Amino acid sequence: MTYSINTVQNLALNENEINPSKPLVFETNGACIGICLYTSVEFGPLGDHDDQEGFVIVEGAGQVYLDGEILDVKKDMSLIIAPHVKHSFRRNVDSKALKVFWFHAAI
């Protein structure tokens, strides 16, 4: 298969949950995409994957933890991290939430 077309149903995320996430495309040719709403001001569990992962900040402002380094992120920023880089996001105290579009892609 050279392409995958999906229809996204009910993209709403529950802001009362702690860091709700919604996959949009599941493991298609080594890739998957989704969206996450970071509602906590604390870093959650660290992600660590066998493939590279990319992120686009859709709304809000916060920080990303990358293997011990903490960087500020805000709307319209993007980043790609290498496999096995431990990572997590959190929102700023003055930001209602940090909405992040994410994607995995096999190398």
Side-chain angles (χ1 to χ4, degrees):
M1 175 189 246
T2 58
Y3 63 88
S4 175
I5 299 173
N6 296 279
T7 301
V8 177
Q9 302 291 327
N10 188 13
L11 190 54
L13 295 167
N14 183 350
E15 293 185 17
N16 295 320
E17 290 181 41
I18 296 176
N19 303 341
S21 184
K22 181 174 291 241
L24 303 175
V25 175
F26 298 91
E27 297 295 329
T28 303
N29 295 329
C32 62
I33 62 174
I35 194 159
C36 189
L37 186 69
Y38 293 91
T39 57
S40 178
V41 294
E42 301 295 328
F43 288 115
L46 298 177
D48 181 352
H49 312 287
D50 291 333
D51 59 357
Q52 61 188 347
E53 187 173 9
F55 303 92
V56 177
I57 311 304
V58 179
E59 290 179 13
Q63 290 83 38
V64 60
Y65 171 96
L66 298 171
D67 270 348
E69 189 174 353
I70 297 174
L71 304 171
D72 291 328
V73 293
K74 62 182 180 179
K75 181 180 176 183
D76 298 332
M77 292 178 75
S78 63
L79 61 143
I80 294 179
I81 61 169
H84 299 294
V85 171
K86 291 178 177 36
H87 58 280
S88 185
F89 288 87
R90 67 179 176 195
R91 71 171 174 90
N92 281 349
V93 187
D94 60 348
S95 184
K96 182 177 177 183
L98 180 67
K99 188 180 285 187
V100 178
F101 173 83
W102 53 264
F103 57 94
H104 287 269
I107 299 176

